[in-house]
Amino acid sequence: MDTNALCFGTCVKCRGDIYRADQACQAMGELYHDRCFTCFTCSKKLCGKPFYYFSGRVYCEEDYLYSSVKHFAEVCTFCGYLITDMVLQALGKSFHPNCFRCVVCNEKLEGKPFSVDTQNKIYCVKDYQRFLAKPCAVCGQLILPTEGSNEIVRVVSTGRSYHVGCFDGKSNI
């Protein structure tokens, strides 16, 4: 190589100098030879193509999405697609933040209080209370969380639901 040639930088993979722009590839804030920026699985050149960085390795789109690599990544419980960015964990499952929604009104519930029914369907608090809250057998009012709480506390006896206070008052009568 001509010692007077301008060096663009050093390839982070092979540590060799890069002298021509058409041999250089910049990705993830680093400089590579075009021949060095390749898929870990199939060695396809990735300069200017979609790629995925996972566990310190770079993959072409095909190998990442359609090979065993994806078995290490999270799959959204709701839509079944691979989660390639932020993962929302709830109820021991993984979701895209956009897929974690109320089954009734479709409101996004990321970062918001929510409730689940006996079948693990996800509800915003308003819809859960509107559709699933039980009426008290004594006063007829819906049994809802007390102010400042997200938990519903009720007494169930002989197949009927009661506010704790209403049940205590019933037993004193």
Side-chain angles (χ1 to χ4, degrees):
M1 182 50 72
D2 179 5
T3 56
N4 294 330
L6 180 64
C7 178
F8 285 98
T10 303
C11 174
V12 295
K13 187 170 182 182
C14 75
R15 298 287 180 215
D17 290 336
I18 302 171
Y19 290 99
R20 293 181 22 205
D22 65 345
Q23 294 177 339
C25 179
Q26 187 169 3
M28 302 177 300
E30 303 285 355
L31 196 59
Y32 296 83
H33 285 110
D34 179 45
R35 69 178 181 270
C36 292
F37 189 61
T38 58
C39 173
F40 177 79
T41 302
C42 70
S43 300
K44 182 193 309 181
K45 288 183 180 182
L46 296 175
C47 191
K49 296 179 179 156
F51 66 89
Y52 293 85
Y53 181 76
F54 180 73
S55 294
R57 296 180 175 153
V58 179
Y59 297 91
C60 67
E61 191 169 37
E62 293 82 14
D63 285 330
Y64 184 78
L65 296 177
Y66 306 110
S67 74
S68 62
V69 175
K70 72 178 180 183
H71 297 296
F72 298 108
E74 299 285 345
V75 174
C76 179
T77 299
F78 179 76
C79 71
Y81 287 104
L82 199 63
I83 302 172
T84 59
D85 48 8
M86 193 170 118
V87 177
L88 188 149
Q89 294 279 331
L91 309 170
K93 299 175 182 172
S94 301
F95 297 86
H96 291 107
N98 201 39
C99 288
F100 192 67
R101 296 177 173 268
C102 173
V103 295
V104 176
C105 70
N106 207 32
E107 176 187 358
K108 276 181 63 177
L109 296 175
E110 177 186 6
K112 296 180 181 177
F114 65 93
S115 293
V116 294
D117 64 12
T118 56
Q119 298 169 345
N120 276 339
K121 290 182 182 172
I122 302 164
Y123 296 84
C124 66
V125 173
K126 185 177 89 183
D127 284 336
Y128 183 85
Q129 292 171 355
R130 193 166 48 147
F131 293 105
L132 298 171
K134 305 286 185 200
C136 176
V138 172
C139 72
Q141 297 292 312
L142 290 178
I143 303 170
L144 301 173
T146 56
E147 192 158 331
S149 173
N150 289 330
E151 247 181 279
I152 295 175
V153 179
R154 66 185 168 118
V155 176
V156 178
S157 176
T158 62
R160 301 173 96 192
S161 297
Y162 302 88
H163 290 107
V164 173
C166 290
F167 186 77
D168 288 342
K170 177 182 172 280
S171 62
N172 292 336
I173 296 177

